[in-house]
């Protein structure tokens, strides 16, 4: 008998539990961050424990995965690391080996976002000049940082799912002739659809096929100091139904369109697009952000349009959610549990990596936090609370897993999955101010666990 197995058995006996016929493994992150995905030992259920029933026979959406955006800022910092450190970090983030994070979903920006050192598109023109034939189109601005980073991630995980979102069309397509502010000229809708196709073909040729695109990041917000624009739902529907959808179908790229890509507070916007028959024909699902509204909006739209997928595509950590208790708890409750319980097939956080000052960026957020922080002066990598929140599912829920039924309460929210190999995964969070005892009922072998307030625990077992 190995020393490790003997220790586990001794711990079980100390807790008064016999070894389970179906061993349950568990990992805990505490509210203060002192324990971070730390292995813990389950026990026999205690009297008075809250029963969480897991029903693997009742299945919901299949999962694409979990991840974060490879922005310009993230790619610049990652590529700035020495080769060995870069390789080790990417292996840790995208590998699926023991202890690795297992991210398998990422988001790119089509041109600049606020987390770009400069504002650019893939077809910039001098003020007052146009390029309707897209003769000057080029993805060269991504050649040194974004493309190498994504390709290296794909080398680690060839199944990595990539999506992309534009913050703005090229300025010459917009009123005001600028990527900041303005709106897309209706006369340029057809040109802009061809711009999408050129981007997708260029990335595919570079070894990065794109599974999904959205037509506009946060289309109900026009930033004052970085690329963006408002784009009303009725006009997005027109663009998707008449221009982009047919262009993508003709190109046969296999890229699907996700609508909205904005907050939970305006479900009527994606509903407007999905009630347009021409647009709905080309829309695969709806993408959501966390910055306003309630996650229940995802269910509202899914119930009305059950044939459309749900994705959660952006939420950033930052100074407005300081500390482990607030930031970690919010990420676990609203995103990892809340979003997936409300039909999300994938969960994406914002920047994969930022520097200690929350950059580099030009405009926009000045106190955002990445999944990891990279200090370019020293090459030091710090894994932030978002890293561990993602890890509570990304390490254990495999692509193609199905969400399954589980009881959940406001005090003890949960979500569960059945992996393709038959293994079960349960994530539970103690949202109370006191210790909580669980009795997990699944098949013939219930198990128990008591965990402190503000802590999250992931259980994995075979029924």
């Amino acid at each position: 008998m190995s020393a490790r197995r003997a220790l586990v058995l001794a711990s079980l006996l100390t807790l008064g539990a016999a070894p389970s016929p179906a061993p349950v493994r568990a990992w805990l992150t505490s509210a203060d961050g002192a324990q971070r995905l730390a292995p813990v030992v389950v026990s026999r259920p205690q009297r008075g424990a809250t029963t969480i029933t897991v029903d693997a026979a009742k299945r919901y959406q299949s999962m694409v995965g979990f991840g974060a955006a490879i922005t310009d800022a993230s790619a610049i910092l990652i590529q700035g690391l020495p080769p060995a450190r870069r390789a080790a970090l990417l292996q840790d983030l995208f590998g699926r080996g023991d202890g690795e994070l297992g991210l398998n979903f990422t988001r790119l920006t089509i041109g600049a976002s606020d987390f770009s050192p400069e504002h650019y598109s893939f077809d910039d023109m001098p003020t007052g000049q146009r390029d309707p034939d897209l003769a000057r189109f080029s993805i060269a601005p991504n050649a040194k940082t974004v493309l190498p980073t994504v390709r290296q991630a794909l080398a680690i995980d060839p199944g990595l799912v990539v999506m992309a979102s534009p913050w703005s069309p090229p300025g010459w397509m917009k009123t005001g002739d600028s990527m900041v502010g303005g709106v897309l000229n209706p006369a340029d809708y057809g040109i802009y659809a061809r711009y999408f196709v050129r981007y997708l073909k260029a990335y595919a040729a570079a070894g990065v096929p794109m599974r999904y695109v959205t037509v506009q990041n946060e289309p109900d917000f026009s930033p004052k100091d970085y690329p963006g624009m408002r784009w009303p739902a009725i006009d997005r529907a027109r663009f998707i139904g008449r221009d982009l959808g047919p262009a993508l179908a003709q190109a046969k790229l296999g890229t699907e369109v996700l609508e909205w890509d904005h907050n939970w507070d305006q479900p009527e916007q994606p509903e407007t697009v999905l009630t347009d028959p021409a647009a709905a024909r080309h829309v695969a699902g709806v993408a959501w952000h966390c910055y306003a509204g309630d996650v229940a909006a995802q269910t509202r739209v899914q119930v009305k349009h059950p044939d459309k997928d749900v994705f959660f595509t952006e939420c950033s950590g930052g100074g407005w959610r300081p500390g482990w208790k607030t930031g970690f708890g919010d990420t676990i409750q609203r995103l990892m549990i809340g979003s997936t319980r409300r039909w999300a097939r994938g969960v994406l956080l914002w920047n994969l990596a930022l520097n200690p000052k929350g950059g580099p960026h030009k405009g926009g957020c000045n106190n955002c936090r990445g999944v990891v922080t990279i200090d370019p002066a020293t090459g030091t990598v710090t894994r932030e609370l978002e890293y561990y929140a993602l890890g509570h599912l990304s390490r254990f829920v495999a692509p193609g897993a199905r969400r399954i039924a589980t009881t959940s309460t406001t005090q003890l929210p949960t979500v569960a999955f059945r992996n393709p190999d038959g293994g079960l995964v349960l994530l539970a969070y103690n949202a109370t101010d006191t210790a909580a005892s669980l009795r997990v009922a699944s098949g013939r072998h219930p198990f128990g666990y008591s965990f402190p307030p503000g802590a999250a625990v992931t259980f994995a077992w075979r029924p």
Side-chain angles (χ1 to χ4, degrees):
M1 180 183 293
S2 70
R4 178 177 177 82
R5 181 167 175 77
L7 178 63
V8 170
L9 289 173
S11 299
L12 285 168
L13 293 171
T14 299
L15 291 168
S20 169
V24 178
R25 297 173 297 158
W27 295 262
L28 176 137
T29 299
S30 58
D32 60 2
Q35 292 176 281
R36 305 181 184 188
L37 282 169
V40 293
V41 179
V42 301
S43 66
R44 285 178 175 169
Q46 296 182 4
R47 288 185 179 180
T50 300
T51 296
I52 302 297
T53 301
V54 178
D55 184 357
K58 192 169 185 178
R59 302 177 185 179
Y60 303 98
Q61 78 271 23
S62 64
M63 299 303 297
V64 168
F66 306 88
I70 299 176
T71 57
D72 283 310
S74 299
I76 288 167
L77 292 164
I78 291 170
Q79 291 302 313
L81 290 170
R85 287 192 181 184
R86 181 195 316 138
L89 174 60
L90 289 172
Q91 181 66 41
D92 176 61
L93 292 171
F94 294 98
R96 295 202 69 84
D98 187 30
E100 294 172 340
L101 193 57
L103 303 183
N104 63 334
F105 188 22
T106 193
R107 182 180 182 221
L108 308 183
T109 68
I110 304 177
S113 71
D114 45 330
F115 284 91
S116 303
E118 300 295 335
H119 298 164
Y120 69 90
S121 76
F122 296 124
D123 195 342
D124 289 328
M125 296 295 292
T127 302
Q129 296 186 32
R130 293 172 50 81
D131 183 24
D133 295 327
L134 303 179
R136 294 183 58 175
F137 180 92
S138 173
I139 60 169
N142 288 172
K144 292 183 179 180
T145 55
V146 175
L147 268 171
T149 304
V150 182
R151 281 198 293 247
Q152 288 162 23
L154 280 163
I156 295 166
D157 179 8
L160 177 69
V161 174
V162 186
M163 68 167 290
S165 305
W167 266 239
S168 172
W172 55 268
M173 294 186 189
K174 298 170 67 180
T175 59
D177 199 5
S178 172
M179 294 184 68
V180 179
V183 297
L184 180 63
N185 292 308
D188 288 334
Y189 278 21
I191 300 172
Y192 194 35
R194 288 192 286 112
Y195 179 89
F196 270 87
V197 172
R198 289 287 296 274
Y199 169 80
L200 295 170
K201 285 185 174 180
Y203 255 79
V208 183
M210 210 72 63
R211 180 83 63 87
Y212 304 101
V213 292
T214 63
V215 300
Q216 174 62 38
N217 174 71
E218 301 189 343
D220 196 53
F221 177 52
S222 183
K224 294 181 180 180
D225 57 1
Y226 65 92
M229 68 174 188
R230 280 193 166 86
W231 202 351
I234 192 170
D235 295 325
R236 297 197 307 275
R238 175 189 171 196
F239 173 67
I240 294 168
R242 191 190 68 177
D243 300 293
L244 181 61
L248 293 177
Q250 185 177 12
K252 298 180 180 179
L253 291 165
T255 304
E256 297 182 302
V257 176
L258 301 180
E259 156 57 12
W260 190 220
D261 210 10
H262 206 170
N263 293 328
W264 293 316
D265 61 338
Q266 296 188 66
E268 65 276 5
Q269 288 230 24
E271 288 170 351
T272 296
V273 173
L274 293 177
T275 54
D276 182 298
R281 186 179 307 120
H282 299 289
V283 173
V286 178
W288 300 93
H289 296 187
C290 73
Y291 307 113
D294 186 271
V295 66
Q298 294 180 185
T299 299
R300 165 179 157 168
V301 177
Q302 197 279 333
V303 167
K304 293 182 179 180
H305 301 278
D307 59 324
K308 303 302 181 186
D309 289 336
V310 178
F311 285 89
F312 183 85
T313 52
E314 185 184 316
C315 194
S316 180
W320 57 91
R321 292 193 299 174
W324 275 82
K325 184 175 182 180
T326 300
F328 178 78
D330 184 68
T331 305
I332 288 287
Q333 287 190 87
R334 292 203 302 162
L335 308 188
M336 308 311 292
I337 295 176
S339 184
T340 54
R341 281 192 72 94
R342 291 163 180 84
W343 300 97
R345 297 188 63 205
V347 176
L348 287 168
L349 301 188
W350 188 206
N351 293 275
L352 181 62
L354 291 177
N355 67 26
K357 295 182 179 180
H361 67 97
K362 186 175 182 179
C365 178
N366 59 15
N367 64 346
C368 282
R369 183 175 56 236
V371 173
V372 298
T373 296
I374 299 176
D375 187 338
T378 64
T380 302
V381 176
T382 303
R383 287 154 179 81
E384 302 291 352
L385 62 88
E386 287 78 14
Y387 175 99
Y388 297 97
L390 278 169
H392 269 278
L393 290 182
S394 64
R395 282 188 179 182
F396 310 105
V397 178
R402 294 288 294 271
R403 180 171 68 88
I404 57 177
T406 178
T407 52
S408 183
T409 69
T410 302
Q411 294 77 25
L412 294 170
T414 68
V415 68
F417 303 88
R418 183 182 188 275
N419 278 324
D421 67 0
L424 303 184
V425 176
L426 170 68
L427 171 59
Y429 178 72
N430 183 358
T432 72
D433 294 326
T434 59
S437 294
L438 299 182
R439 175 184 182 274
V440 179
S442 175
R444 294 174 297 169
H445 305 291
F447 59 89
Y449 189 72
S450 295
F451 61 125
V457 61
T458 296
F459 305 96
W461 73 98
R462 288 186 173 277

